[in-house]
Amino acid sequence: MMSPVLGMSFLALVLSGGAWAFAPIGGEASTHVSITEKAVLQKVTEVCRAIAESEGRDFTPTGDSAEELVQACLGPKATGEVSAAKFKSALNEIYIQNGQVDRDFVNSPAHHFNSEAFALGRRLITDGVASIKANIQKENFLAARETLGRVLHTLQDFYSHSNWVDLGYTEPYTNLIRPDLPLENLADVKTPTCSDCANGGFCSNSILPNILNEKKLTSGYMGILSSAKPKGKCSHGGAADLTSSKAPRGGISKDERRSDNVALHTAAVTVATTATLQLLDDIRGAAGDNNYLRFMGVARSSVVVFVIDTTGSMSDDILEAKRVVYEIIDSKKGTQDEPSQYILVPFNDPEFGPLIKTTNPDVMKAEIANLTADGGGDLPEMCLSGLQLALTGAPASSNIYVFTDAIAKDIELKETIVALIRSTKSTVSFFMTGDGARRRRRGVESSEATFETYKDLALASGGQAISVTKENLPQATDVIIDSSTSALVIVLQRARNPGRAETFSFLLDESLNNITIYITGKSLTFTLKNPAGVTQKQNEANGKLGTVQTVGNLYRVRLATDKHTGLWEISMNSNQPYTLKVTGQSTIAFIYNFVETFEGPHPGYALISGRPQAGMPAMLLVSVLGRKGPASVKVADIALVTVSGSEVVGGALEDMGNGDFLVTVTKVPAGEFVVLLNGTDVVSSTVFQRQSTTQMSVSKVTIKAMVDRSMEPGKPFTLPFTVMTDATGGSYKISARNDRDFKMNIPGSIAVTTGGNATGELTITVPANTPSGTDVTLTIEAVAPGASDSNYAVLRLSVVTRVTDFTPPQCEMVIVSSVDCPADPAACSSAFWQLSANLTDGVNGTGITSLTHRQGVGSLTHTDLKQTVVTAAFNASCCSLTVELVAVDKAMNVGTCRFSIVRNAGPPSIALSLPLLVCLLVSAFFTTSLRDLLI
């Protein structure tokens, strides 16, 4: 609906002067993203306020930005920096998929409610919502967010492409998200719906009077490739719609505000926003408040991810990993640096996994304590298989730590790992405690040579490859404690191979804390100099600028707290390979995505899943986060920088407002590059520098595929894909891997002509016992003849069991009693009221699985949920006058039952028992006002 967009950092396209033009988010244009943004922020605010109320604390955001919302939601719980990067990234993931519906499904009536495809459109929504709920239940939040973006696009389009608001309706059509309710009063295919618009454009009042009088529901027909439509039917309208030139001409779309439809466009936006809120509330009810916030990315940034070799020689390493986990948990409890999630992946040979995820620190302690060193014996282990599980199971931009003393047996996974690193933007660091003697028995001359794969992966991700003895491992793991922190940012990262003498400069701003410099390499010296000219060398353990710790091939420089802001320098000197990384803590950060344009009725920008196309300008959409929202930073320039060289290529910036920028880099650097941003912190008036960690490069090969539905257990799933090339044609090698090890059939190669494209088909067979909500990360790779070039696509698919129970639970209110609540709020704590209700999921329901309360502070008790009728009792003081009971059944249908009482203005009265009241629980996305009970 409305013009397509791709997120807070994504652009809204609006129709202006007959041509598509850019407009800043938050302007006069009403877009998919502005509607979604308004609803998402409102619902997150509501949930944060409800949690704060239940915890007895205030919720007072200092402003309306995403940064200030997250700070208010998480900040009062603990001390320390609070970053909104996860929240902004989560929102962008929703918006990206929302916008890409206009590219991937441009000619699908169901995805846009065009051509009266109401039943198919509703099926997309209800199937999508079922998938979202199942994914959240399994904590597969990324898959859930991507599906949400697509579902919201379709839902919002209904109000723009149909005549719902033309019929005078001001509330959403609830039946679209209630599959148990019929779609009523639809105009059939033979019923004319529009009159002819003589000017061939848009006319007001083009819908026939009898359609309006009889409240018949219709939508405009849309023809991109054909002008055919049933006789007398309305068109969508616009230059791209070929049916709009066939009588009856014109169109009823309310995508843009025009002189003929100002009121209808405004009404469509309003109802679409309310419908979005209702759907989000339904998801909230199924997820619960805490998981809903995690789903939306409102969580502390730090996630601890360990991938640990458990073969026989790893006893010491496992003990050290255990010690580090315990220290992180115990030392950071109650601060914003306390991890929001813990992930553990063991690997051995031939086994690896399972992936263990928990938000409970005690569970993580128990799981890592249960690890034992056993098995192995031959040299290589399944390290990359374990790392693959971590990369697909951990949130994006995670810091992953791998402990091993052996080379990888599954080296064939290397390119898949690189693709996943680029897709997730996660950082991988290796602690390599190799025994040279053990490797010589396998005919390998040195442990350094065997670990090159790990060094390559660390460099690609922006991590470190630390070679250290088992005895000195405890000194090296401070790196983990440093980075297990909220609001971690990268100031500078460079690599040189071979090494050479070189001076690197970097800016430190006032917002940075806990600044640490990491250097890996051998036979090197360095000198650090601050803006005042004070220096410190690598052999000064305790100098004027900070402390220097050396262990194995790692130098760790921790700057003193009384740092100087401004331009620093570090002069490196070595003929051996080395890496340099400068980090700190700050809420000033940025997130980015490489994008490409697409054309069509609603042109826009789509995320590039793999590497950007060579020979073309690179385009990035960048969101900048400030300490007090986007207004608190000013961006000077954004550039692409080679990590292993000195090339810096600046981009042309287009300020889209709200901290969002479109960056176009005409000439992309050769080789691997990262993103560098410079600007000014308005709060302190100091200049700042930030850098991305994940290396990227361009390719002349492109591989594309799209997800259009979920997978079902026990059924094969077919996925078409296309390989394109701007280089020489030939036989392109095709490979694919998924993180669940599901059986796949895929062609080994595809013939692609020079400058052409070819289509292939992949089939995944999902085992029948796969739990609903399981997500599958699929990586497809295409390699050019002679391995001269390659590219990849990373897709996330969901496994969802077909839902047959669509009816939400029901509520029978038994009794509400209270002493009269005093009129004076100051005396509310001395009086109490009680509520009793019976709940059931009906005769054919799947059964109630959870019963909670919200919008009320009190105590809720209930009988066994396995019973056919569940009796609930809620008790509260007169300080809390409203309660909403939320029941969820096994099919994730949600019902709510809300009650309110009012304070008594007269003298106190005795407790009152009310007669039996019966009320149907309605879906949480459409909670009706169940009556206020006046006591």
Side-chain angles (χ1 to χ4, degrees):
M1 159 172 193
M2 326 313 164
S3 302
V5 289
L6 294 182
M8 282 187 177
S9 63
F10 293 76
L11 309 178
L13 289 173
V14 296
L15 194 62
S16 174
W20 291 101
F22 296 116
I25 293 170
E28 292 185 359
S30 293
T31 67
H32 277 292
V33 73
S34 65
I35 292 169
T36 306
E37 177 186 356
K38 180 179 180 180
V40 167
L41 293 180
Q42 182 175 327
K43 188 56 61 178
V44 167
T45 300
E46 180 182 321
V47 176
C48 287
R49 181 173 288 111
I51 291 176
E53 179 183 335
S54 68
E55 295 176 349
R57 58 179 175 85
D58 293 331
F59 175 72
T60 53
T62 57
D64 57 4
S65 69
E67 293 93 324
E68 291 162 304
L69 174 57
V70 172
Q71 288 164 7
C73 197
L74 298 179
K77 295 182 180 179
T79 58
E81 300 280 5
V82 180
S83 174
K86 275 185 179 292
F87 184 37
K88 292 275 279 190
S89 294
L91 295 180
N92 280 355
E93 288 159 3
I94 296 170
Y95 302 148
I96 287 169
Q97 294 300 319
N98 190 316
Q100 286 184 186
V101 171
D102 278 324
R103 181 196 68 173
D104 297 340
F105 308 102
V106 63
N107 206 27
S108 167
H111 283 83
H112 307 281
F113 278 107
N114 291 331
S115 308
E116 299 181 319
F118 295 115
L120 293 175
R122 181 172 74 167
R123 179 68 177 269
L124 288 173
I125 293 171
T126 55
D127 283 357
V129 170
S131 179
I132 292 166
K133 292 175 179 179
N135 280 136
I136 293 176
Q137 193 174 41
K138 291 290 186 181
E139 298 187 0
N140 297 321
F141 298 123
L142 176 56
R145 288 192 291 265
E146 290 181 344
T147 304
L148 176 64
R150 295 190 290 269
V151 166
L152 288 180
H153 186 111
T154 300
L155 176 67
Q156 293 159 0
D157 267 356
F158 171 81
Y159 299 98
S160 174
H161 297 173
S162 76
N163 66 332
W164 181 257
V165 295
D166 303 74
L167 296 176
Y169 294 119
T170 58
E171 293 295 329
Y173 189 24
T174 312
N175 299 34
L176 290 179
I177 45 182
R178 285 287 301 274
D180 58 316
L181 300 178
L183 295 173
E184 298 174 316
N185 212 24
L186 305 181
D188 63 45
V189 70
K190 296 181 179 180
T191 301
T193 53
C194 267
S195 59
D196 187 50
C197 183
N199 64 20
F202 289 94
C203 295
S204 57
N205 304 317
S206 60
I207 299 176
L208 294 174
N210 66 301
I211 297 296
L212 299 176
N213 294 334
E214 296 172 17
K215 299 288 186 178
K216 290 285 187 180
L217 187 61
T218 186
S219 67
Y221 279 71
M222 178 75 172
I224 297 174
L225 304 176
S226 170
S227 62
K229 67 177 178 180
K231 184 178 180 180
K233 287 296 184 181
C234 302
S235 291
H236 176 280
D241 177 18
L242 299 181
T243 74
S244 65
S245 60
K246 180 179 179 180
R249 292 168 293 176
I252 63 170
S253 164
K254 290 161 280 292
D255 284 348
E256 300 85 29
R257 181 184 290 109
R258 304 181 303 270
S259 60
D260 64 284
N261 78 341
V262 173
L264 290 174
H265 170 80
T266 302
V269 170
T270 301
V271 183
T273 304
T274 305
T276 302
L277 281 166
Q278 291 176 349
L279 189 143
L280 292 175
D281 199 60
D282 176 50
I283 295 170
R284 172 198 176 185
D289 284 356
N290 288 321
N291 261 355
Y292 182 82
L293 291 184
R294 293 178 64 205
F295 163 56
M296 285 295 169
V298 181
R300 292 181 298 277
S301 298
S302 176
V303 176
V304 172
V305 187
F306 279 5
V307 180
I308 301 179
D309 185 343
T310 60
T311 53
S313 59
M314 288 291 293
S315 296
D316 294 341
D317 306 60
I318 293 172
L319 286 174
E320 176 56 19
K322 175 183 175 181
R323 183 196 68 80
V324 172
V325 168
Y326 276 49
E327 181 174 346
I328 291 171
I329 291 172
D330 295 338
S331 66
K332 301 193 176 188
K333 186 175 183 179
T335 72
Q336 288 299 343
D337 291 339
E338 182 179 357
S340 59
Q341 189 175 37
Y342 303 88
I343 296 176
L344 175 64
V345 182
F347 68 90
N348 203 290
D349 181 25
E351 297 83 13
F352 58 91
L355 180 138
I356 301 164
K357 292 196 294 187
T358 180
T359 58
N360 188 331
D362 293 330
V363 171
M364 180 62 170
K365 282 184 174 182
E367 291 290 351
I368 202 165
N370 287 335
L371 292 183
T372 58
D374 188 29
D378 62 340
L379 169 64
E381 317 296 357
M382 304 295 285
C383 179
L384 300 190
S385 296
L387 180 54
Q388 181 185 22
L389 283 182
L391 283 164
T392 57
S397 302
S398 291
N399 285 286
I400 300 172
Y401 304 98
V402 182
F403 290 77
T404 186
D405 65 356
I407 62 176
K409 185 175 187 177
D410 42 7
I411 189 66
E412 70 277 1
L413 284 176
K414 181 180 178 181
E415 293 307 314
T416 298
I417 297 299
V418 172
L420 291 172
I421 285 171
R422 285 172 165 165
S423 175
T424 64
K425 300 185 179 71
S426 288
T427 302
V428 183
S429 293
F430 293 85
F431 293 90
M432 305 173 297
T433 58
D435 179 353
R438 183 183 173 195
R439 282 157 177 76
R440 282 194 293 272
R441 287 198 302 271
R442 303 291 299 175
V444 181
E445 291 302 319
S446 71
S447 62
E448 287 295 317
T450 65
F451 285 144
E452 287 304 313
T453 296
Y454 299 152
K455 293 180 180 179
D456 292 344
L457 294 176
L459 180 61
S461 71
Q464 286 96 33
I466 301 169
S467 298
V468 64
T469 64
K470 292 183 182 292
E471 292 76 16
N472 291 332
L473 180 61
Q475 301 173 47
T477 51
D478 284 343
V479 172
I480 302 175
I481 297 173
D482 292 342
S483 54
S484 298
T485 182
S486 180
L488 183 71
V489 296
I490 308 302
V491 177
L492 176 75
Q493 183 157 332
R494 295 289 185 272
R496 294 293 180 263
N497 186 9
R500 62 177 183 264
E502 190 169 351
T503 298
F504 302 91
S505 60
F506 55 93
L507 287 167
L508 297 184
D509 61 275
E510 187 272 340
S511 74
L512 285 165
N513 294 301
N514 300 324
I515 302 164
T516 309
I517 302 171
Y518 303 100
I519 301 168
T520 61
K522 291 188 175 181
S523 303
L524 61 80
T525 61
F526 63 82
T527 301
L528 182 65
K529 184 170 70 174
N530 74 2
V534 179
T535 62
Q536 183 173 343
K537 295 182 178 296
Q538 83 284 344
N539 56 0
E540 299 177 64
N542 293 284
K544 296 178 181 178
L545 301 182
T547 61
V548 179
Q549 178 189 14
T550 307
V551 54
N553 69 333
L554 173 69
Y555 295 84
R556 175 176 174 265
V557 184
R558 188 80 168 188
L559 296 191
T561 55
D562 57 343
K563 66 178 187 300
H564 287 266
T565 59
L567 191 65
W568 287 60
E569 291 182 351
I570 184 166
S571 299
M572 306 286 299
N573 190 7
S574 177
N575 60 5
Q576 299 294 314
Y578 62 81
T579 67
L580 167 66
K581 185 175 183 178
V582 182
T583 72
Q585 263 187 293
S586 172
T587 54
I588 298 175
F590 73 95
I591 56 179
Y592 70 98
N593 285 285
F594 286 94
V595 297
E596 60 187 1
T597 59
F598 65 84
E599 302 300 325
H602 299 291
Y605 293 88
L607 178 71
I608 296 176
S609 173
R611 297 157 62 195
Q613 187 176 353
M616 300 286 291
M619 302 183 72
L620 300 90
L621 289 169
V622 179
S623 291
V624 184
L625 292 80
R627 289 199 269 184
K628 293 185 178 297
S632 62
V633 292
K634 292 182 179 179
V635 175
D637 58 78
I638 301 174
L640 301 182
V641 182
T642 54
V643 172
S644 298
S646 55
E647 188 177 6
V648 179
V649 182
L653 271 63
E654 185 173 356
D655 188 347
M656 307 309 299
N658 200 30
D660 306 320
F661 295 85
L662 173 66
V663 185
T664 304
V665 181
T666 304
K667 185 180 178 181
V668 180
E672 303 286 334
F673 54 83
V674 294
V675 183
L676 177 68
L677 185 147
N678 293 289
T680 302
D681 172 27
V682 176
V683 175
S684 63
S685 298
T686 59
V687 290
F688 68 86
Q689 171 183 323
R690 299 291 185 269
Q691 181 184 302
S692 66
T693 59
T694 309
Q695 294 191 16
M696 182 56 77
S697 61
V698 295
S699 172
K700 292 184 177 181
V701 180
T702 302
I703 183 166
K704 291 186 177 180
M706 65 179 183
V707 178
D708 62 351
R709 64 196 187 282
S710 58
M711 303 187 293
E712 287 189 56
K715 294 185 178 181
F717 179 88
T718 301
L719 182 73
F721 63 90
T722 303
V723 178
M724 296 165 279
T725 181
D726 288 335
T728 304
S731 179
Y732 278 67
K733 181 182 177 182
I734 306 297
S735 61
R737 301 181 186 278
N738 69 81
D739 61 335
R740 302 291 178 180
D741 203 27
F742 290 167
K743 181 181 177 181
M744 295 192 298
N745 292 320
I746 187 169
S749 63
I750 289 181
V752 185
T753 59
T754 301
N757 64 80
T759 300
E761 198 171 78
L762 175 150
T763 301
I764 305 178
T765 301
V766 182
N769 61 349
T770 305
S772 185
T774 299
D775 71 335
V776 180
T777 301
L778 171 66
T779 305
I780 310 174
E781 185 181 18
V783 181
S788 58
D789 200 354
S790 66
N791 211 335
Y792 61 89
V794 178
L795 304 167
R796 288 172 179 83
L797 305 101
S798 298
V799 180
V800 181
T801 303
R802 177 66 59 187
V803 176
T804 57
D805 173 13
F806 300 109
T807 305
Q810 296 177 334
C811 172
E812 182 182 75
M813 211 58 57
V814 177
I815 189 171
V816 176
S817 62
S818 85
V819 297
D820 288 339
C821 288
D824 183 3
C828 64
S829 60
S830 61
F832 297 86
W833 63 282
Q834 301 85 35
L835 165 72
S836 177
N838 290 334
L839 299 102
T840 178
D841 198 33
V843 177
N844 298 316
T846 50
I848 296 173
T849 58
S850 72
L851 178 58
T852 58
H853 75 280
R854 63 189 188 196
Q855 294 188 22
V857 178
S859 63
L860 173 66
T861 59
H862 57 77
T863 57
D864 190 348
L865 295 179
K866 295 180 181 179
Q867 296 177 343
T868 303
V869 178
V870 179
T871 300
F874 180 78
N875 295 274
S877 74
C878 288
C879 299
S880 181
L881 302 176
T882 301
V883 65
E884 186 175 32
L885 303 183
V886 182
V888 183
D889 65 19
K890 291 180 181 178
M892 306 296 284
N893 296 305
V894 180
T896 67
C897 196
R898 184 174 182 269
F899 272 87
S900 296
I901 62 173
V902 297
R903 303 186 191 282
N904 184 20
S909 62
I910 60 173
L912 175 67
S913 294
L914 297 183
L916 183 67
L917 276 175
V918 179
C919 53
L920 178 67
L921 256 84
V922 294
S923 295
F925 49 70
F926 191 52
T927 304
T928 57
S929 176
L930 299 183
R931 57 200 65 187
D932 285 346
L933 298 184
L934 307 181
I935 304 299

